Amino acid sequence: MTQIINILRKDIRHLRLEILASVAVLLLFLVVEPRAWAELYGSALSASQIVAGLVCVSWGIIILRLVHAERLAGSNQFWTTRPYEWPKLLAAKALFVILFVYVPLVLAQFYLLHHAGFSIAANLSPLLHNLLRVTCVLVLPLACIAAVTTSFGQAALSLLGFAVLLAALQSAFNYLGSVSATIGLPRRAPLFILSAEFAIVVAFLSAVLLLQYSRRLTMKSIAILGSAVVLLIATQQILAGSAAAASGYATGVSDAPASIAIDTSKRQAFSMWLPRNTRTAMYAVPLQFSNFTPGVTLSLEAQRYTLTTAEGYTWTSNWLTDYSFFDSLRPKSSSSLRSFLDIPWSVYPHVAGHPVSIRIEFLASQLANDTPYTYSLPNEAHSVPHVGVCKLDDAEENLLCRGAFGNFSLVDVSTTGSPDPCDGSADAAPTTPAPLIPETGSLVGTRRLTQNPMPEISPVMINMVHLNPPHPNDQRTGYLCPGTPVTFAAKHFERHVYIATPPATITLNEAPRGGRVGP
């Protein structure tokens, strides 16, 4: 233990300037971040985002300099002549990172949560999950880069090369997407893929650090790092859109919350709306929804479709996401919904112009209603259950709400609006209000599993609750005034469900090619 403390004290003295700079940037972030909570949808980077990036850079410099203080790559390291035991050296480095990266981050997030009006205890789970993301995305990769390089400059060049490699891979996948009807479509990733990727990062990168500190076998460590990168890319590309995407969704259940069928009474037409891939023909297929369980909302998340011709030709798509279609679904909002089918040009000649049997499968989250919450809209910031802390915006048209770690709910909002601007009084609700907004849905966010691996420096997220009461005489936006009654009906997640349509035979019309070029 004495050796661990001695190494830690030495590193603190050696990196005192880096520590002071990191703390100073973090304190600056705590000053500018609360001021940014009133800003929404800015096209340029805000000051808080820039400072948050500087915080991450300062931590990266500390980690690289910390490992290089006793460099592991190369030969003739002076520190190896000292009686250092590698487990104690590694423990001292880990303790340093805990004290000067993790602890400042946790304290900063505690402060921001408290300043935003949120309970710290209620957010311990997302705090810990965010620390895991910090470890997998920032700490372990930088520590491994430092472990296989001999200097800060070499590490910086390695990071630059890695960034160039990622950009090249992104460009390659963009090109493949432009010529492939498979890669070019938004494929559904399995719910477990983020956990699997985190497991790969922790296992491979921890092995690199242990191998370097115990044996200093740099070339083998580099090979392990390369294997981790290849495995991460392969995992994402192989699993996205595959049958594994449906894992975790109940199949064959007898108590499905709704029935979905293809509406053969309406015309299935080639759709030029939102053409996402020039290698596909897009069709809009109308759907019928029935047998809704009372109080249930479906949040549709992915679909897969199978086409079968009379000649026996069969084609099944990947599991695909379609954010122009998938949203909250309730009985009164489902009458005009359509499913958009992307059919590759290589498949198109087999299925177009003659009867085809179509079966569509859906993955959805089943949501149930919480008890509605009704209150008179105040002028100042106020707490709304399941939504966060909200305040009327300056235009008096919407509510700006902040939530912890983006944990917003799916909510239905009902309210009334005034045709005239508010007079600024404490209770300016209209005496003759505009008609109640029927079934107004506001997708502030969802509690479904996020696939974003990037950590959050600030735990407070900002979003807008779109109320926008219409003017009673035209389509212009009305105004929300203090004293106006507002009702929030939040929904909570119940389960993941799988729903499929019965096969239906329709004729897919000939697709006008326009300017598209087939294979």
Side-chain angles (χ1 to χ4, degrees), residues 236-267:
Q236 179 65 237
Q237 292 302 314
I238 291 173
L239 292 181
S242 69
S247 61
Y249 291 83
T251 58
V253 295
S254 59
D255 60 339
S259 299
I260 306 179
I262 296 174
D263 188 354
T264 56
S265 66
K266 296 181 180 179
R267 182 172 177 265

Side-chain angles (χ1 to χ4, degrees), residues 113-181:
L113 283 172
H114 178 74
H115 189 67
F118 296 109
S119 168
I120 294 175
N123 288 284
L124 286 180
S125 178
L127 275 169
L128 293 175
H129 185 260
N130 190 60
L131 290 180
L132 173 62
R133 293 192 290 177
V134 169
T135 301
C136 293
V137 176
L138 180 67
V139 174
L140 282 179
L142 288 173
C144 287
I145 290 293
V148 297
T149 55
T150 59
S151 65
F152 184 85
Q154 192 178 87
L157 288 176
S158 299
L159 289 173
L160 179 61
F162 184 69
V164 171
L165 174 62
L166 288 181
L169 289 174
Q170 183 64 42
S171 299
F173 284 123
N174 288 340
Y175 172 75
L176 291 175
S178 69
V179 298
S180 168

Side-chain angles (χ1 to χ4, degrees), residues 367 406-411 442-448 463-464:
L367 310 172
N407 195 21
F408 298 104
S409 297
L410 178 65
V411 296
S442 178
L443 184 59
V444 184
T446 65
R447 296 179 187 273
R448 76 187 75 169
N463 216 319
M464 178 181 289

Side-chain angles (χ1 to χ4, degrees), residues 158-225:
S158 299
L159 289 173
L160 179 61
F162 184 69
V164 171
L165 174 62
L166 288 181
L169 289 174
Q170 183 64 42
S171 299
F173 284 123
N174 288 340
Y175 172 75
L176 291 175
S178 69
V179 298
S180 168
T182 300
I183 297 178
L185 295 175
R187 294 172 293 163
R188 169 75 180 187
L191 293 177
F192 63 81
I193 194 167
L194 189 60
S195 299
E197 290 174 340
F198 280 173
I200 291 172
V201 170
V202 171
F204 279 71
L205 272 59
S206 297
V208 167
L209 288 177
L210 291 173
L211 185 63
Q212 280 296 87
Y213 273 94
S214 61
R215 305 288 298 278
R216 299 194 301 282
L217 300 176
T218 302
M219 297 308 298
K220 290 185 177 179
S221 297
I222 292 175
I224 294 174
L225 287 177

Side-chain angles (χ1 to χ4, degrees), residues 8 12 35 38 46 64 84 89 117 155 194 211 220 230 236 246 257 265 277 303 318 338 346 359 369 413 434 443 494:
L8 178 63
I12 292 174
R35 299 179 181 178
S46 66
L64 293 177
Y84 279 174
L89 177 62
L194 189 60
L211 185 63
K220 290 185 177 179
V230 171
Q236 179 65 237
S265 66
N277 192 310
Q303 70 173 2
N318 287 328
R338 295 173 178 264
S346 59
R359 180 174 183 265
N369 294 329
V413 185
L443 184 59
E494 285 194 324

